[in-house]
């Protein structure tokens, strides 16, 4: 009977193509939305990922993500270092600064101040430069941070530092070693560009030492945003976080916990979550509309065949198995096509710089949504078959 059901489905190529299209679109859009969500979530905690050496992140009790922070008092670092089980602890400061580029434009940067002694958490630099270049006076390292065209400067020296006469329509290049920026009226020299992880939301990044960062950002009595602690041998990160909280009264989270906190913060505060929900609702609506209508029409047009099978002794269970096998075949083929298209679109999106990451659960989410659409559509299509009376069908009623 299942073989007959498949032959019936493939016999009407137009409706079969429509069913495949509806399911493939649902699979593609749901998986794409989930992968986009995963992409900007992982970019949202890129700062934590870059500092893989840190077992515990210590912060002000009000801080719940890397996106919305406030600084801590001077004593925070000393108290963390004096906590039992801490092997090492270094400060990290985040801030924002307006920088004037050589062509006269202003650009906002996120300033990341690294520990002067260790430079822990510094990203890899381009052109095989060593991170020790930051130890030179008034030097910085810049990174695009997921942006495009933000770190540009005129090629020719005559178009740079024109003192108010902006040269906008001139040949440009990326900032490189030796170029200068004016950060809060302080002239700094670029030592290199960094291969830093992209951020979400995208923003240009400026890495420097902790002491230089304090001179670049707005003056404040609170000098550090985070303290990054590593655990001594035999001490787990979760135990160390509990000890730090008990001793200092500050918030201490393991790296994994802080990543989760950031994800929850974005879920509660980011407008992009609503956009992704809209994409999924659209995909489900199209899936229900196209798949449900096409499968219902297909089943209704084949009531005579189902009536013949019923008259020959086919039970309702057998007829239902035929309908659900047709929906299952369409779901299998459509899901495969949708996931394949999502993979191709993902490669294009990543090449264009969009946050996109297919994780293990995104195809499962897409497949689950397809399963829901297929089961509901098959159930609606089965209604006429369940009410089928062969004598009335043969009589044309």
């Amino acid at each position: 009977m299942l073989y007959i059901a498949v032959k019936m489905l493939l016999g009407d190529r137009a409706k079969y193509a429509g069913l495949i299209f509806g399911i493939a679109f649902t699979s593609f859009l749901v998986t794409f939305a989930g992968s986009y969500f995963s992409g900007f979530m992982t970019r949202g905690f890129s700062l934590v990922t870059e500092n893989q050496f840190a077992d515990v992140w210590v912060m002000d009790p009000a801080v719940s993500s890397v996106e919305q922070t406030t600084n801590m008092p001077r004593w925070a670092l000393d108290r963390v270092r004096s906590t039992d089980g801490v092997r090492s602890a270094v400060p990290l400061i985040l801030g924002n600064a307006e920088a004037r580029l050589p062509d006269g434009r202003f650009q906002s940067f996120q300033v990341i101040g690294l520990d002067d002694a260790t430079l822990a958490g510094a990203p890899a630099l381009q052109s095989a430069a060593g991170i020790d270049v930051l130890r030179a006076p008034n030097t910085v390292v810049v990174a695009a941070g997921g942006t495009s065209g933000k770190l540009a400067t005129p090629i020719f020296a005559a178009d740079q530092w024109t003192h108010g006469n902006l040269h906008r329509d001139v040949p440009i290049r990326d900032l490189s070693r030796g170029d200068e920026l004016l950060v809060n009226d302080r002239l700094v020299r670029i030592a290199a560009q960094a291969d830093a992880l992209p951020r979400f939301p995208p923003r240009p990044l400026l890495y420097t030492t902790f002491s230089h960062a304090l001179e670049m950002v707005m003056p404040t009595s609170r000098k550090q945003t985070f303290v990054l602690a590593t655990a001594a041998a035999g001490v787990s990160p979760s135990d160390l976080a509990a000890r730090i909280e008990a001793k200092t009264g500050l918030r201490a989270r393991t790296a994994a916990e802080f990543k989760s906190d950031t994800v929850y913060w974005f879920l509660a505060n980011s407008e992009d979550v609503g956009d992704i929900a809209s994409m999924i609702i659209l995909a489900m609506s199209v899936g229900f509309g196209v798949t449900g209508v096409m499968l219902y029409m297909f089943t209704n047009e084949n009531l005579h065949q189902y009536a013949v099978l019923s008259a020959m002794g086919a039970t309702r269970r057998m007829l239902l198995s035929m309908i659900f096998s047709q929906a299952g075949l369409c779901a299998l083929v459509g899901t495969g096509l949708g996931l394949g298209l999502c993979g191709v679109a993902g490669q294009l999106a990543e090449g264009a710089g969009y946050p996109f990451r297919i994780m293990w659960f995104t195809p499962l989410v897409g497949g689950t949504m397809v399963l829901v659409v297929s089961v509901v559509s098959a159930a609606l299509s089965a209604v006429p078959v369940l009410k089928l009376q062969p004598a009335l069908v043969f009589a044309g009623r």
Side-chain angles (χ1 to χ4, degrees):
M1 297 298 288
L2 298 182
Y3 175 77
I4 296 175
V6 173
K7 294 291 287 185
M8 290 171 58
L9 178 64
L10 299 180
D12 194 336
R13 295 185 178 181
K15 292 185 176 59
Y16 176 65
L19 288 169
I20 295 298
F21 168 78
I23 292 176
F25 182 82
T26 302
S27 172
F28 164 77
L29 200 55
V30 171
T31 307
F32 188 89
S35 300
Y36 181 77
F37 172 80
S38 301
F40 80 72
M41 283 292 102
T42 53
R43 287 191 180 188
F45 52 69
S46 290
L47 181 68
V48 183
T49 306
E50 280 186 348
N51 292 272
Q52 296 185 7
F53 74 94
D55 296 321
V56 175
W57 287 67
V58 185
M59 64 208 77
D60 185 276
V63 174
S64 58
S65 77
V66 299
E67 186 61 27
Q68 194 173 46
T69 61
T70 187
N71 289 353
M72 297 181 292
R74 294 173 179 268
W75 52 259
L77 179 61
D78 294 331
R79 288 197 182 180
V80 171
R81 284 176 171 171
S82 64
T83 302
D84 185 36
V86 173
R87 184 179 64 184
S88 65
V90 296
L92 181 75
I93 185 172
L94 300 182
N96 294 300
E98 294 287 338
R100 186 184 288 274
L101 277 65
D103 63 358
R105 293 182 299 112
F106 278 100
Q107 177 62 56
S108 178
F109 283 81
Q110 182 181 52
V111 178
I112 302 174
L114 309 174
D115 178 49
D116 290 62
T118 63
L119 297 178
L125 304 186
Q126 299 177 5
S127 305
I131 195 59
D132 285 340
V133 295
L134 281 179
R135 300 189 189 280
N138 299 323
T139 57
V140 298
V141 168
V142 295
T147 62
S148 177
K150 301 293 186 181
L151 304 180
T153 185
I155 293 177
F156 303 112
D159 297 317
Q160 300 182 12
W161 302 116
T162 54
H163 303 289
N165 298 320
L166 300 185
H167 292 186
R168 296 185 181 276
D169 299 323
V170 296
I172 59 175
R173 61 172 173 79
D174 287 339
L175 290 170
S176 60
R177 183 174 183 176
D179 289 327
E180 296 177 331
L181 300 174
L182 195 62
V183 182
N184 286 340
D185 295 327
R186 184 183 184 87
L187 192 65
V188 297
R189 180 171 285 102
I190 296 175
Q193 276 212 33
D195 290 323
L197 295 176
R199 279 7 185 209
F200 186 87
R203 74 204 71 176
L205 307 173
L206 191 152
Y207 292 86
T208 187
T209 60
F210 189 87
S211 56
H212 287 161
L214 290 176
E215 297 170 352
M216 294 179 188
V217 299
M218 297 298 292
T220 176
S221 59
R222 294 172 171 256
K223 303 296 185 181
Q224 50 214 349
T225 310
F226 297 107
V227 173
L228 310 186
T230 58
V235 179
S236 68
S238 56
D239 288 342
L240 181 59
R243 294 181 187 180
I244 293 174
E245 285 192 348
K247 180 171 183 177
T248 65
L250 300 171
R251 190 166 189 258
R253 304 288 282 171
T254 66
E257 290 171 343
F258 197 29
K259 288 180 180 180
S260 299
D261 292 342
T262 302
V263 170
Y264 292 137
W265 186 90
F266 274 109
L267 287 174
N269 296 278
S270 176
E271 297 179 356
D272 293 274
V273 176
D275 295 338
I276 290 174
S278 299
M279 291 176 64
I280 294 177
I281 292 173
L282 174 63
M284 297 293 289
S285 300
V286 172
F288 280 123
V290 176
T291 307
V293 170
M294 297 297 290
L295 191 58
Y296 185 87
M297 291 174 59
F298 174 81
T299 304
N300 196 59
E301 291 179 1
N302 287 280
L303 283 178
H304 281 80
Q305 285 80 356
Y306 288 116
V308 171
L309 293 173
S310 180
M312 293 172 62
T315 63
R316 288 187 173 184
R317 183 174 181 178
M318 295 175 65
L319 297 179
L320 286 176
S321 67
M322 292 177 65
I323 295 174
F324 279 91
S325 64
Q326 292 168 348
L329 176 63
C330 293
L332 185 63
V333 176
T335 300
L337 289 175
L339 294 179
L341 289 173
C342 185
V344 174
Q347 292 292 324
L348 297 175
E350 286 188 79
Y354 291 100
F356 187 90
R357 184 176 181 182
I358 297 180
M359 300 186 71
W360 64 269
F361 61 85
T362 50
L364 294 181
V365 173
T368 301
M369 294 299 102
V370 167
L371 180 63
V372 172
V373 168
S374 301
V375 169
V376 173
S377 300
L380 294 175
S381 302
V383 173
V385 176
L386 293 176
K387 296 180 178 179
L388 183 66
Q389 297 183 25
L392 296 179
V393 175
F394 294 143
R397 301 178 185 176

